[in-house]
Amino acid sequence: MVASKEKFTVVAPGRICLFGDHQDYLGLPVIACAINRSIKLKATKNTSYDLKIMMPDVNEERHIDLNKKIEIRSNRDYFASALNVLERYDCIPNEGYDIVVTGDIPVNAGLSSSSAVLVAWITFLLEAYGSSHKINASFIARLAYEAEVLEFQAPGGLMDQYTICLGNTVFLNTITGDHIPLTQPIRSLIIGESGVPKETLEVLGKLGDFAKNVIVQIRKEVANFKIADATIDTYNSYQHLVDPSLKPIFLAAVNNYLITKEALIIMQQEPLNLHKLGALMDAHHFELREHLKITVPIIDSMIDGAKEGGALGAKIVGSGGGGCIVAISTPENEKAVIDGILKGGAKSAYKIEISKGVQII
C-alpha cells in the first residue's frame, strides 16, 4: 500500500461517562460524551522504514522498525498491539513517519487519555496505509477496542473507544456498539481534577469479577437470569441467592441500569430538564460511592464543593480510586461551581464543551 499523505494531523477527544459507570463490562448501556480536551498526533512522512514516535508531554519516545517483528513490551503497549490488530485488517505499514503526540487531556484522570492516544494512532495508521475494509468511526472504534481490551484480555467495555470515535453525546449499546445520538446539549458541564491517579485496571478487574459472580450465583437457581432484564423487584426476589458481600454490587448494577435508562428518556425530551438530569447524576454517584465504594475523600469533598456552589448534579468519572468529577451547572452558576470544586481540594476545575469525534485535519 502507498501512503496517502505526506503530512497530516489526527485529533482524538477525551470522553466523559455521564451515566453508566461500571456498567459496560456487564454489557449494559452507557451515556457518554466526547469533550474538547484532546490528543493531537502530527505525522510527517520520513525517508526511513521507521515509525518514530515523540511524546514530549511525558518525555518519552518510541521507535518502531518496520523491518522487524512487532513485539509487545507491556500489557499497555497499545502502539504494538494496534499494529498487530490492524495487520489482520490488511493495514500494513510500508513507509516511515515522524510522529509527535501531544495533548491536554489529564493523564490517569478518568477522561480516557490512553484510549484517545490509541484512537489517534489507529486513525493515523488507517489514513497512512489504508485497509481493504470500509473505514468509518465505528470501524476505528472496534479496532481500538480489540487493541486495548481483547489483545490483553483486560477488563472494560466498548465505551471509551466508541465515544471517542463517534463524538458528541451517545447512548451506547456496549455489546454491539450500536448507539443513539443525543442531540440536546448540556451547556454547562464542569470538570474537577483531583490530582489523585485513578486505578483503572485494578478497580475494573475487581468489581467486574464481583458483578459477574453475582450473575453466576443467581443462574445456579434461575438459569435464564439476565442482568439487562433486572429491576428492583428482581433484586428483592433474588438477593438471597447472592453472597452477602456481593449484594451491594448487585444492587448498584440494577440501580445504575435503571438510572441510565431514565436519563435516556430525559435527554430525548425537549426542552432538556437539567434539574431532573442533575438529580439522576447525584443518584448515580450515590451508587458509585455507597455500594461500589470507588471514591476517595478528595472526590467526596469536591462533590460537596460542587453542590455547595449550586451544581444541579455531580459524580465521579471513570473507574474510581481518584481521577475527576463532572458536575452539571446552570450558566449563571458556573463560576460558583468551579470555585466550590477548587475549595473542595481539586487540583483544577474548568468548564468543558461537548465535541466531535476523532478527526483528520
Side-chain angles (χ1 to χ4, degrees):
M1 298 180 185
V2 178
S4 59
K5 289 184 179 180
E6 293 285 330
K7 185 176 183 178
F8 60 95
T9 298
V10 179
V11 180
R15 72 94 187 94
I16 295 172
C17 179
L18 297 171
F19 297 95
D21 283 294
H22 288 273
Q23 298 287 85
D24 57 346
Y25 51 66
L26 291 173
L28 297 175
V30 300
I31 296 174
C33 65
I35 62 172
N36 63 336
R37 291 286 180 115
S38 63
I39 295 295
K40 292 184 179 179
L41 185 155
K42 297 181 180 181
T44 304
K45 192 187 296 185
N46 61 38
T47 57
S48 73
Y49 205 58
D50 294 337
L51 296 173
K52 302 175 182 178
I53 307 164
M54 309 294 177
M55 296 167 277
D57 293 347
V58 293
N59 196 30
E60 292 181 9
E61 297 182 6
R62 178 75 181 273
H63 289 196
I64 298 174
D65 185 346
L66 297 175
N67 287 304
K68 297 180 179 178
K69 178 179 173 59
I70 304 301
E71 294 185 2
I72 294 178
R73 296 180 177 179
S74 70
N75 64 357
R76 301 194 78 177
D77 185 358
Y78 303 139
F79 290 114
S81 67
L83 286 166
N84 288 339
V85 167
L86 265 67
E87 184 178 4
R88 301 198 290 265
Y89 292 86
D90 305 317
C91 179
I92 312 296
N94 62 347
E95 294 177 292
Y97 273 86
D98 294 331
I99 298 157
V100 180
V101 179
T102 58
D104 60 359
I105 306 173
V107 176
N108 207 20
L111 303 182
S112 288
S113 59
S114 59
S115 294
V117 171
L118 175 58
V119 167
W121 173 244
I122 289 176
T123 304
F124 151 71
L125 293 171
L126 292 169
E127 177 68 13
Y129 307 113
S131 169
S132 61
H133 296 256
K134 182 179 179 180
I135 300 171
N136 56 29
S138 293
F139 179 66
I140 296 170
R142 178 66 198 185
L143 298 187
Y145 171 69
E146 290 187 20
E148 185 172 357
V149 179
L150 298 187
E151 283 293 289
F152 299 106
Q153 297 182 329
L158 303 174
M159 173 175 61
D160 297 353
Q161 302 83 9
Y162 274 75
T163 305
I164 290 167
C165 290
L166 296 168
N168 301 307
T169 306
V170 292
F171 177 83
L172 179 67
N173 181 316
T174 61
I175 297 175
T176 65
D178 293 339
H179 57 280
I180 300 172
L182 300 175
T183 58
Q184 292 224 70
I186 305 174
R187 301 193 183 280
S188 297
L189 284 174
I190 309 296
I191 288 291
E193 297 179 29
S194 70
V196 177
K198 65 183 178 64
E199 301 172 1
T200 302
L201 296 181
E202 297 84 353
V203 175
L204 282 178
K206 180 180 71 174
L207 289 177
D209 288 344
F210 288 165
K212 290 169 187 174
N213 280 339
V214 168
I215 296 171
V216 169
Q217 290 179 13
I218 294 174
R219 283 181 177 168
K220 290 178 180 178
E221 300 292 333
V222 186
N224 62 348
F225 172 75
K226 294 180 181 178
I227 192 71
D229 297 331
T231 65
I232 292 301
D233 288 341
T234 307
Y235 171 79
N236 291 332
S237 297
Y238 295 160
Q239 62 169 312
H240 70 283
L241 302 175
V242 175
D243 290 343
S245 63
L246 296 181
K247 288 182 181 180
I249 309 295
F250 184 18
L251 182 59
V254 172
N255 282 338
N256 284 335
Y257 180 40
L258 298 176
I259 288 166
T260 301
K261 291 196 293 184
E262 189 173 350
L264 172 64
I265 293 171
I266 291 172
M267 295 184 75
Q268 291 177 311
Q269 295 173 343
E270 294 186 31
L272 181 61
N273 190 322
L274 289 178
H275 288 82
K276 286 185 178 180
L277 204 64
L280 287 176
M281 183 170 280
D282 286 342
H284 187 16
H285 181 73
F286 177 87
E287 298 297 330
L288 299 172
R289 184 188 70 226
E290 297 299 322
H291 293 145
L292 296 187
K293 299 189 181 303
I294 66 169
T295 69
V296 292
I298 191 172
I299 292 291
D300 296 330
S301 179
M302 289 161 57
I303 294 282
D304 291 343
K307 297 293 290 183
E308 289 171 6
L312 302 177
K315 63 177 282 290
I316 190 172
V317 174
S319 55
C324 291
I325 70 166
V326 62
I328 297 177
S329 176
T330 55
E332 60 271 19
N333 276 348
E334 288 173 2
K335 184 179 184 305
V337 171
I338 289 172
D339 289 344
I341 294 171
L342 292 171
K343 184 180 177 181
K347 175 184 175 182
S348 63
Y350 43 85
K351 179 181 177 181
I352 55 95
E353 305 288 345
I354 295 171
S355 80
K356 296 179 180 178
V358 63
Q359 300 177 75
I360 298 171
I361 59 176

